[in-house]
Amino acid sequence: MTIVDTPERRQLRELTRSFVSREVLPHLADWERAGEVPRSLHETAAKIGLLGIGFPESVGGSGGDLLDSIVVTEEIIRSGGSSGLVAALFTHGIALPHIVETQDEGLIDRYVRPALAGTMIGALAITEPDGGSDVAGIRTCAVRDGDHYVVNGSKTYITSGARADFVTTAVCTDFPGSGSVSLLVVDKGSPGFTVGRRLEKLGWHCSDTAELSFVDVRVPVSNRVGPEDTGFLAIMQQFANERLSLATQAYATAQRCVDLAVRWCRDRSTFGRPLAGRQVVRHRLAEMHSRTDAARAYVHDVAERVAAGQPVVTEVAMAKNVAVATCDWVVDAALQLHGGFGYMRDAEVERHYRDSRLLGIGGGTTEIMNEIIAKGMGL
Ligand SMILES: Cc1cc2nc3c(=O)[nH]c(=O)nc-3n(C[C@H](O)[C@H](O)[C@H](O)COP(=O)(O)OP(=O)(O)OC[C@H]3O[C@@H](n4cnc5c(N)ncnc54)[C@H](O)[C@@H]3O)c2cc1C
């Protein structure tokens, strides 16, 4: 029995599987076309306790830790969901942790509890049109004016940005690019805060992505997450969970594609024999399976260490890069084995091929992960 295969986690898998087959699979193609998932899905997921996994009961969550969140992510994708669906439904996984960490009861009551109950949607806005990798260089500024901040600037590529009721926003509390970063929770409907166009993308079609604009937006000081100038550290600390979630989406997508390819290669015959009857195909499937298993084992190992509170920043970066590289290779191979059908919208593998391209970009790119790894090597 592995750490993610305890009786409780098997139950969690079962719960997730039945949620996906009942609530997601009949509608996913429609949501992909609509460009978003419905609000009702958040409420349904909250009612069965899925939305709150990984958050303490004291703030409205269902309890559990990073490994439980990983189990949910694995199972959503294994059951036929997608990384885009995980991004859309679990955006609170990146929007809330900084707030929870501060133990600010006011912010927890106004934002964390409703988001975990599925009645509010939150987003996290760090990236700006001028750049996303350089978090310390953000230019959206908040200038103190009495008991408010006045925010000016813009954000882009924000997941759930079009639907969000509130946005945990990284702002500069000194001059633009100064590195003095703070987090402010900005409410939808605040005068001067507008959601720009929905961005059209290669993949993650069921996950809305938006540009946000801030023109003299007055945000109460009480909406600041933690003390001023602690935003950069808070963002970096929470990156571990986001990066491991993306790593999980990567090997889980790879696993789903292995499963789809095995099924396809058993059923599809060419030149009078099933594809799986040819050694070259079997070996390709064997390699896909092996690489996926290795990536999963490594991500689990690193996640276990993060859950135990160990400082493994370098290992988290390595886990993300290893899982993403595995996913890229496996998904490409799976599509190739499907032949022309792999290129068709009707093929599930086609969606994974498009969706997975994001995983080496979001939450810190592959190159930024390599920078972290090189630093960890003393270079
Ligand atoms: C679908 C989607 C959803 C997203 N959701 C969110 C969200 O919810 N919230 C949010 O804040 N952001 C979000 N992002 C933004 C994402 O985090 C950024 O795109 C990412 O961090 C990269 O930033 P950038 O696009 O500005 O690229 P840049 O920082 O401009 O980088 C461009 C290229 O240069 C490389 N590069 C940069 N610096 C270096 C260096 N020092 N050395 C070597 N190479 C370097 C990068 O790796 C990349 O390949 C999302 C993006 C997408 C596509």
Side-chain angles (χ1 to χ4, degrees):
M1 187 164 67
T2 70
I3 189 83
V4 289
D5 192 30
T6 60
E8 294 77 18
R9 288 183 175 139
R10 257 177 261 147
Q11 272 182 7
L12 186 57
R13 282 188 196 283
E14 187 48 47
L15 179 77
T16 310
R17 260 200 301 274
S18 70
F19 168 77
V20 173
S21 80
R22 240 190 8 258
E23 308 291 343
V24 173
L25 295 187
H27 311 291
L28 187 53
D30 290 339
W31 299 337
E32 288 276 302
R33 276 188 291 274
E36 62 178 38
V37 301
R39 281 177 173 266
S40 57
L41 187 70
H42 293 253
E43 290 187 50
T44 309
K47 276 196 189 108
I48 60 165
L50 218 50
L51 219 56
I53 293 290
F55 288 88
E57 291 175 22
S58 58
V59 301
S62 315
D65 62 10
L66 172 64
L67 294 162
D68 295 290
S69 302
I70 282 177
V71 164
V72 172
T73 301
E74 277 184 8
E75 215 50 48
I76 285 179
I77 295 172
R78 181 183 289 178
S79 320
S82 66
S83 55
L85 178 84
V86 172
L89 185 57
F90 291 88
T91 319
H92 62 276
I94 56 174
L96 299 184
H98 322 81
I99 304 176
V100 173
E101 197 64 30
T102 63
Q103 300 181 1
D104 181 325
E105 281 304 326
L107 293 180
I108 287 170
D109 284 345
R110 273 164 56 215
Y111 301 110
V112 177
R113 290 181 198 283
L116 295 178
T119 54
M120 271 184 132
I121 292 173
L124 173 70
I126 300 173
T127 306
E128 303 187 344
D130 283 340
S133 299
D134 182 8
V135 175
I138 58 164
R139 307 184 69 79
T140 296
C141 270
V143 177
R144 184 83 182 246
D145 179 24
D147 54 3
H148 282 77
Y149 285 100
V150 180
V151 181
N152 280 285
S154 56
K155 300 285 178 182
T156 194
Y157 314 142
I158 305 307
T159 297
S160 296
R163 295 180 306 144
D165 301 296
F166 66 91
V167 182
T168 306
T169 309
V171 295
C172 173
T173 28
D174 203 336
F175 60 89
S178 64
S180 63
V181 178
S182 302
L183 289 169
L184 297 180
V185 186
V186 182
D187 290 307
K188 183 183 198 165
S190 303
F193 172 45
T194 48
V195 177
R197 65 196 170 100
R198 277 170 189 247
L199 302 168
E200 293 186 4
K201 323 186 278 299
L202 173 70
W204 278 22
H205 285 177
C206 68
S207 168
D208 57 296
T209 309
E211 287 177 338
L212 309 178
S213 161
F214 305 83
V215 179
D216 292 333
V217 182
R218 292 184 72 78
V219 180
V221 170
S222 56
N223 274 27
R224 194 184 61 218
V225 182
E228 205 168 87
D229 288 354
T230 57
F232 184 79
L233 190 63
I235 290 167
M236 292 302 140
Q237 281 167 347
Q238 297 305 334
F239 262 148
N241 285 2
E242 181 180 0
R243 286 170 184 164
L244 286 172
S245 170
L246 290 163
T248 303
Q249 292 170 44
Y251 73 71
T253 301
Q255 182 63 60
R256 177 68 180 174
C257 287
V258 172
D259 296 345
L260 291 169
V262 166
R263 199 188 307 157
W264 171 266
C265 292
R266 283 205 172 111
D267 293 348
R268 179 77 170 177
S269 285
T270 61
F271 302 95
R273 261 202 283 160
L275 283 172
R278 300 181 189 280
Q279 191 181 50
V280 68
V281 171
R282 282 201 306 276
H283 283 195
R284 175 54 58 97
L285 292 169
E287 204 174 339
M288 291 159 67
H289 182 59
S290 312
R291 289 197 197 188
T292 302
D293 212 42
R296 176 175 32 235
Y298 184 53
V299 175
H300 282 179
D301 176 67
V302 175
E304 224 180 309
R305 289 194 264 165
V306 169
Q310 291 178 27
V312 285
V313 178
T314 309
E315 287 80 356
V316 167
M318 293 196 290
K320 182 170 187 277
N321 277 4
V322 164
V324 167
T326 300
C327 181
D328 287 348
W329 186 83
V330 169
V331 171
D332 184 73
L335 190 146
Q336 187 70 17
L337 285 167
H338 279 73
F341 182 56
Y343 201 70
M344 297 295 130
R345 272 290 145 92
D346 283 347
E348 186 183 327
V349 74
E350 184 262 1
R351 191 184 67 225
H352 292 308
Y353 184 83
R354 289 182 291 102
D355 282 358
S356 61
R357 189 62 186 84
L358 180 276
L359 301 173
I361 296 171
T365 63
T366 299
E367 292 74 20
I368 295 302
M369 294 306 101
N370 278 336
E371 277 295 293
I372 294 169
I373 297 161
K375 203 168 158 195
M377 293 165 70
L379 297 168

